[in-house]
Amino acid sequence: MKAIVQERFGPPDVLRLADVDPPRIGPGDVMVRMHAAALNPYDWHMLRGDPLAARLTVDVGLTRPKCPVLGIDAAGVVEAVGADVRGLRPGDEVLGFCHGSCAEYARTTPDLLVPKPADLTFEQAAAVPMAAVTALRGIRTVGRVRSGQRVLVNGAGGGVGTFAVQIAAALGAEVTGVCSTRNVELVRSLGAARAVDYTREDFTEPDRRGRYDLVLDNVGNRPLGRLRRVLTPEGTLVANGGGSPGKVFGAMGALLAVLVVNAFVRQQLRVILPAAPAGPTHDDLVAVTALIEAGKLAPVVDRTYTLSDAAEGVRHVEQGHARGKAVVVVQ
């Protein structure tokens, strides 16, 4: 089968289109024939083995990539199921998490898949898993947003941000989205009561509109002290990644600082780690697809790439200015 592979850690240039053997499935596995795979900051972190400290974890690999095929967000059709799998059968259209999704076929487990909403294309469906689940966890699970609260989303025009704005609005919150000039109208169209253009205004300066009950920070480009300034005295900060290539600890260090400071303040300082499907992933996937089917949530696809151009897609995401999601069309 055709797949985008890497044999060593490095920049997008190390990726290549190659013929590899399709994965074999065991009794509890599902084989998915891929139609589309979305790209995430997760992918360039895995590609580069960055930050270096992440190589000590089980998912990355110490000296070479543990998973040589790019991608984890997936949308496609079930090709085959193992003997112990129930609830899925060949021909089912699904979305979810498949390690090595930038390939014609990928293997996963049934708890990481849900039915694809009928109104979504495969490209739109591939944009959902990691970004929407991360946004759901940040806004609802960790942030515990309630109707009537004031929510600020930093990085509102990105993959997680576009979902977070919609989820917070669906929960009845008054949403402010921080984004670039070109994304102001997009963020408003997603349900934000106000869009802040960070090139013209510093959102960490408190103003007459009052403070926020929740700040979801997807960017990590402001000091923790300044983020706390715009929170209510008992408000919640949810930190979600950030950082740039070539660091020893990267965002891991900043997230650790959030947890340390939390022990000494009244405000609730929380972190969310979106990089791997962990926790009640199936329930989260069901929840976000239910919102999509109810018309309360829609993926924003920035650009699409062919499988052979996947490296260019990773480079675009790594630059940090994607509008919604970048998606690789497999077939």
Side-chain angles (χ1 to χ4, degrees):
M1 69 173 187
K2 299 292 185 182
I4 298 297
V5 301
Q6 64 174 121
E7 297 171 348
R8 59 185 176 88
F9 293 122
D13 294 339
V14 307
L15 294 170
R16 63 185 180 89
L17 181 64
D19 289 307
V20 300
D21 293 332
R24 297 180 178 180
I25 63 170
D29 295 332
V30 179
M31 177 83 78
V32 179
R33 177 163 51 90
M34 300 301 307
H35 280 255
L39 299 172
N40 300 278
Y42 170 88
D43 295 304
W44 68 255
H45 281 293
M46 297 294 284
L47 174 64
R48 290 181 177 269
D50 179 283
L52 294 177
R55 299 189 188 185
L56 301 176
T57 66
V58 296
D59 292 331
V60 180
L62 185 59
T63 60
R64 59 188 303 170
K66 184 175 181 180
C67 181
V69 181
L70 180 73
I72 190 168
D73 274 355
V77 176
V78 174
E79 180 75 9
V81 299
D84 296 340
V85 173
R86 301 292 180 268
L88 288 172
R89 59 185 181 181
D92 287 348
E93 296 184 348
V94 293
L95 65 85
F97 296 99
C98 299
H99 284 285
S101 60
C102 287
E104 291 179 318
Y105 296 92
R107 178 181 59 207
T108 189
T109 52
D111 58 307
L112 297 179
L113 296 172
V114 293
K116 179 182 77 68
D119 289 343
L120 295 187
T121 66
F122 283 108
E123 291 81 4
Q124 291 172 321
V128 171
M130 182 169 289
V133 165
T134 300
L136 183 76
R137 292 176 180 175
I139 294 295
R140 191 185 73 173
T141 308
V142 180
R144 299 181 180 180
V145 168
R146 301 185 304 276
S147 179
Q149 288 189 318
R150 301 184 74 243
V151 173
L152 182 140
V153 178
N154 186 24
V160 174
T162 51
F163 283 114
V165 169
Q166 295 176 79
I167 292 171
L171 291 172
E174 177 189 316
V175 185
T176 295
V178 180
C179 58
S180 64
T181 306
R182 75 185 186 106
N183 289 331
V184 166
E185 292 306 317
L186 168 66
V187 169
R188 287 174 178 158
S189 73
L190 296 175
R194 177 172 173 249
V196 175
D197 180 350
Y198 67 76
T199 68
R200 301 180 178 182
E201 184 177 349
D202 184 354
F203 74 91
T204 63
E205 289 290 343
D207 58 28
R208 65 181 183 280
R209 299 177 184 87
R211 297 174 183 247
Y212 297 94
D213 301 291
L214 171 73
V215 171
L216 173 61
D217 182 20
N218 297 309
V219 186
N221 62 347
R222 292 292 188 274
L224 179 57
R226 294 190 68 85
L227 292 172
R228 290 184 55 223
R229 289 175 57 183
V230 297
L231 283 174
T232 63
E234 296 181 352
T236 300
L237 168 70
V238 179
N240 169 35
S244 56
K247 303 293 184 182
V248 175
F249 293 102
M252 297 170 64
L255 297 178
L256 179 60
V258 168
L259 296 177
V260 170
V261 174
N262 179 66
F264 302 97
V265 299
R266 290 174 58 195
Q267 294 162 327
Q268 304 298 305
L269 310 183
R270 302 286 186 256
V271 302
I272 179 170
L273 301 175
T281 301
H282 188 267
D283 291 345
D284 289 339
L285 286 170
V286 169
V288 296
T289 53
L291 287 170
I292 291 169
E293 290 170 337
K296 297 180 179 180
L297 193 63
V300 176
V301 176
D302 177 22
R303 301 181 184 181
T304 59
Y305 298 85
T306 64
L307 190 60
S308 59
D309 288 333
E312 185 59 34
V314 175
R315 189 174 290 108
H316 175 62
V317 172
E318 190 175 32
Q319 290 170 351
H321 298 294
R323 178 186 174 97
K325 298 291 295 180
V327 175
V328 175
V329 179
V330 179
Q331 55 187 339

